[in-house]
Amino acid sequence: MTAGKDARLARIGTGGRYLVVPMDHGITLGAVKGLVDLESTVDAITRGGADAVLTQRGVAGRVHPNKNDAGYIVHLNGSTAIGPDESDKRTTGTVEDAIRAGADAVSFHINVGSEHEPDQITELGEVTSEAERYGLPTLAMAYARGHDVRDDDPELFAEDLSHAVRLAEELGADVVKTAYSGTADTFERVVEATSLPVVIAGGSKGTDRETLSMVRGAVDAGAAGVSMGRSIFQHDDPEAITRAVAAVLHDDASADEAAELAGLPAEV
């Protein structure tokens, strides 16, 4: 790994842990809650302790003045929820585009097990090769999604997720994001499948305690952090929920301790 890549990885994490907030959902979902006033949301989550913000390159100018020295990741593919196939992620920019947008790293989404997997394997390999030439880290969003993915059983789902994260390493990624298998015991196997730092996706939006308990379980299983979008940027208090997640990741707090520290209200 080059000195430049090491330096840029340090900009998007803290001490080898990563709290990334992806907000590239404007392509997928449109101008939903939390993304209309993108500037205020970016300011809130980075004041709360987010290590890095992730968007598509077109809104970089709205991110930089408001990110409070946090890292910046540019995402390089996407699709829409109203299109013919949301799993069919198409390239939206190049590594050079990301550099011109001020990125510290790039990210790319691949659906392992889907009918689009072959093209996405090729494209991810091209992105990591180009990023390597510039000393730019690549965050691979490697999901197990497809007809044969066994996501109804944590044990079997962990096997498919393990395949996805190992694929990301084999293709040259530096950090890999994937779904949480559902339990700390099963997710240990996912983490063990690769030498890369593994971060979990936010999953479906639940209560604050459910979100924080999921983060705690992933960290206990060896995860290096989270890349959590809607559970943070659509929260009624994005700064507080970010601070709570940061407490679990960076201060080893329990879910309840983190919620109390961040001032989140008690849930009934």
Side-chain angles (χ1 to χ4, degrees):
M1 189 173 291
T2 65
K5 185 180 282 189
D6 275 341
R8 294 180 180 97
L9 279 171
R11 291 178 203 160
I12 65 169
T14 301
R17 291 275 177 92
Y18 301 89
L19 200 178
V20 178
V21 182
M23 295 191 289
D24 58 313
H25 301 65
I27 281 186
T28 312
L29 302 173
V32 295
K33 175 186 175 184
L35 298 184
V36 176
D37 185 357
L38 182 65
E39 293 84 349
S40 293
T41 305
V42 169
D43 178 55
I45 63 174
T46 52
R47 278 189 285 109
D51 293 309
V53 173
L54 180 155
T55 73
Q56 294 281 346
R57 61 191 169 95
V59 296
R62 301 176 66 181
V63 172
H64 285 297
N66 301 289
K67 65 182 180 64
N68 298 303
D69 295 324
Y72 181 49
I73 304 171
V74 168
H75 195 53
L76 295 180
N77 63 347
S79 61
T80 73
I82 60 174
D85 187 349
E86 192 176 341
S87 293
D88 187 9
K89 305 290 183 181
R90 297 299 178 102
T91 300
T92 56
T94 66
V95 172
E96 285 193 0
D97 291 331
I99 292 170
R100 283 191 290 270
D104 299 304
V106 293
S107 63
F108 196 87
H109 183 126
I110 178 170
N111 291 311
V112 180
S114 78
E115 62 184 290
H116 308 293
E117 177 199 283
D119 288 338
Q120 290 170 355
I121 284 177
T122 299
E123 291 161 358
L124 177 57
E126 291 170 349
V127 166
T128 59
S129 292
E130 187 182 3
E132 185 68 27
R133 286 197 292 272
Y134 292 100
L136 211 67
T138 301
L139 165 62
M141 300 186 181
Y143 291 88
R145 291 179 177 170
H147 178 72
D148 294 325
V149 172
R150 300 162 295 180
D151 57 2
D152 56 346
D153 182 309
E155 295 279 347
L156 298 176
F157 192 32
E159 291 183 15
D160 295 336
L161 295 174
S162 296
H163 191 167
V165 299
R166 184 52 181 259
L167 178 147
E169 180 177 8
E170 299 279 347
L171 291 177
D174 300 286
V175 182
V176 58
K177 169 184 177 178
T178 198
Y180 186 53
S181 55
T183 67
D185 287 345
T186 57
F187 201 71
E188 280 185 14
R189 298 210 305 277
V190 180
V191 173
E192 290 168 355
T194 177
S195 67
L196 298 181
V198 178
V199 300
I200 63 162
S204 57
K205 196 172 184 302
T207 67
D208 293 343
R209 294 312 191 279
E210 288 170 342
T211 296
L212 296 171
S213 293
M214 178 179 68
V215 176
R216 182 71 259 171
V219 170
D220 289 343
V226 301
S227 177
M228 185 175 289
R230 281 173 286 178
S231 294
I232 288 180
F233 73 73
Q234 290 194 321
H235 195 277
D236 290 337
D237 190 340
E239 182 177 351
I241 189 64
T242 307
R243 185 171 291 110
V245 173
V248 175
L249 284 180
H250 298 314
D251 300 322
D252 203 31
S254 69
D256 288 338
E257 289 169 343
E260 183 176 354
L261 182 149
L264 292 171
E267 295 165 335
V268 294

